[in-house]
Structures are given as C-alpha cells and as structure tokens.
Amino acid sequence: MARWTLLLAACALVASCEADRPAWQYGFAVMGTEVRVIIAGAETRDPTPHFAAVEARLAQIGRDFYAWADGELAELNTALAEGRSFQASADMAGLLAQAQNLSRLSGGAFDPGIGALVELWGFHQPRPGVAGTPPADDEIAVLLEGCIGIARISLRSSQVASDCRGPLIDLGGIAKGFAVDEAMSLLRARGIANAMIDAGGDLRAMGRNGRRAWRVGIQDPRGDGVLGSIALASGEAAFTSGDYARYFTHEGTRYAHVIDPATGYPVTHTAGVTVLGGRGIAADAASTALMVAGPEQWRSMAERLGTRAVLRVDAEGSVDMTRIFGGRLEPVPATVD
Ligand code: AMP
Ligand code: MG
C-alpha cells in the first residue's frame, strides 16, 4: 500500500493526547489510501452510521474523481479524447474550476491536465514503474507538444470542452483534499463537531479531541525520526506531497510520482512538502505545486497560493520552513497523560 505523505503517526499522537473518553476510530481503504475516521469519544454513543456514511461517500469519490477508475472522470476523459464535450456534475464542475484556478496561481506547477504524462511514467498504476524504466525523451517531448494541461479545457454551465483531443485530466493531486473536505462536511451535517479525517497522513481536523486540540506528527522523509508535532486548529488541514511513496528506481535514480509539467520529468530536488491550510483542496494542490517549485521558487509560489505555513525537505534531507510553520512546530509529547 502506497503511503503518499510524510505526515504520519497522526493517530498514535491523537490517541496519546486523548485525555477524555477514548476517540472512536474506523479505518478502510479507498483511493489507494488507508483512511481513518476518528470521532471524539463524547460526540456519539454509536459512531457506526457516521463511519458508514463517510466510507460510502469516499468510495464514490474514489470512483468518480480518479481518472483510471470507471466513474465520471473516466467518462469525461473518454469524451474529451473523442473530441466531444461533457456535461459534468456540479461537484465535478466545481472541482475542475478550483483546480484550474489553483493551477493558474501556481504558474502551472500544479497541473491536473497532465494525466498523459502520469500514464506514460506509469504512476497511474497502484504499483508504479512495473517496467522500472523511464520513458524515452522523445515520447515525453511528443506529449509536451500535444494536447496537455488543464488550461486546454473550458467550463461553461458545467459543460466541459477542449480545443484539442484531450487533455487527460488526472485529479490525483487534489482529490484527497476534496475527499477530506467532503467527509468533514458530511460529518458536520450529521451533527458531529469534533472529528479528524486522516487519508494516509493527509488530514483535516474539526473541533477538538476532548479537552485538547487534534495533534499530528510530522515524519522525517529521509530518516526514521519525527520532525515535530502540530496542534491543528478546528477546520485546519495538513497535507503532504513526497517522493517516497510512489516511485521507482532505475540505474540509481529515484523517479517519483510528482511530475514537473514544464519538463515532463519527475521532480528530483524535493523529498517532501507539508502545507497547513484552511481547506483540504487548497492544501492538497499547494503541497503538490510546492513539490514542483524547487529551492528558489517555493517561498514566492507559496505566497501566490496564499499558503503561509509550509515545511520543505529537499532531496538531501535538509529541512526548511516558513516562519509561521516554525512557530507551530512543537516537540512530540514524550509521555501520555
Ligand atoms: P500529491 O500526492 O497530492 O502530490 O499528488 C500526486 C499525484 O498527482 C500523482 O500521483 C499524479 O497522479 C498527480 N500529479 C503528478 N504531478 C502533478 C502536477 N505537477 N500537478 C498536478 N497533479 C500531479
Ligand atoms: Mg496534492
């Protein structure tokens, strides 16, 4: 099972910080990720229907928002590839509009219209790089000159069209953010005010865990240790992109699943980026964009994206962070009280 993030240990810390009734926890696999739903102990006597509702909604998102599943996004991609327009659901149209906007703000570093490149590199498969070899330079060049990029689609009254045959839309860089936001809204609508959704280390907190804030640990992507922990405010999301979850190694080079849309090659300068933000969608897109940004650009790009709490680890394992992230990072609590 691929872990997509460097934010781990969430539940270990969540559990250790529980000073009241133990939180309810439920886990299931969806979107290639181990998801955990945690509801503060005092919220309910029977969490089962809440867990079931979240699981059903996330399974639906897994079908409809993954390009290589058999739901709405697959249908949309087929229509665009055949030169037809597509009448999208309100959810799909909304997410595409946000994705287009975030892509523009990132100067194209985040681009969910590069599914053809993701496929060429083999990162659409659950276990990427089966062949274990990178594609040829000219195959990449052909794709870069072809119908590629989210800017090639237009959206009018939820009607999606393109000025070329394609592009292949891959919402994998933002779908977990959408899923986590949806799960939170669903729980809120069901009367739950204190919960945490952890999608393989990409997570969002709501309310508190008993008397304390929900707290997550930040794992060092190049070591065994934990860099620190963060107490999340209510509604806050913590998302991570990294090079250590989906990758393959060929002749000593690591090729990981975040691709620089400008070059068509996987990012090699960055091991991981963690972003704190008010919404899962924005934090998810930003963490992917900042993975691509590189050592010179990541701070200015973070500002353009409106993300102020960012931690970046480069390929050699050096850690850098914004002042605001540094102010939030605390030592991991050593004992359970
Ligand atoms: P994340 O873990 O959120 O950074 O998402 C990575 C996934 O997003 C990859 O597995 C691809 O499906 C897709 N992806 C890769 N590169 C990009 C990019 N530059 N912009 C948007 N999505 C990307
Ligand atoms: Mg992302």
Side-chain angles (χ1 to χ4, degrees), residues 172-174 239 241 283-285 287-288:
I174 198 174
F239 272 69
S241 275
D284 197 356
S287 60
T288 306

Side-chain angles (χ1 to χ4, degrees), residues 6 21 91 95 143 157 178 231 249 263 280-281 306 322 336:
L6 60 93
R21 236 194 257 184
D91 278 350
L95 188 56
L143 288 188
S157 310
F178 176 65
T249 308
T263 63
I281 287 177
T322 59
V336 178

Side-chain angles (χ1 to χ4, degrees), residues 3 9 15 28 33 83 96 117 156 161 215 228 255 285 291 293 312 332:
R3 284 197 84 95
F28 54 93
T33 301
L96 286 174
L117 278 168
R156 208 158 288 124
R215 179 174 289 279
Y255 297 96
M291 236 350 247
R312 174 179 184 268
V332 175

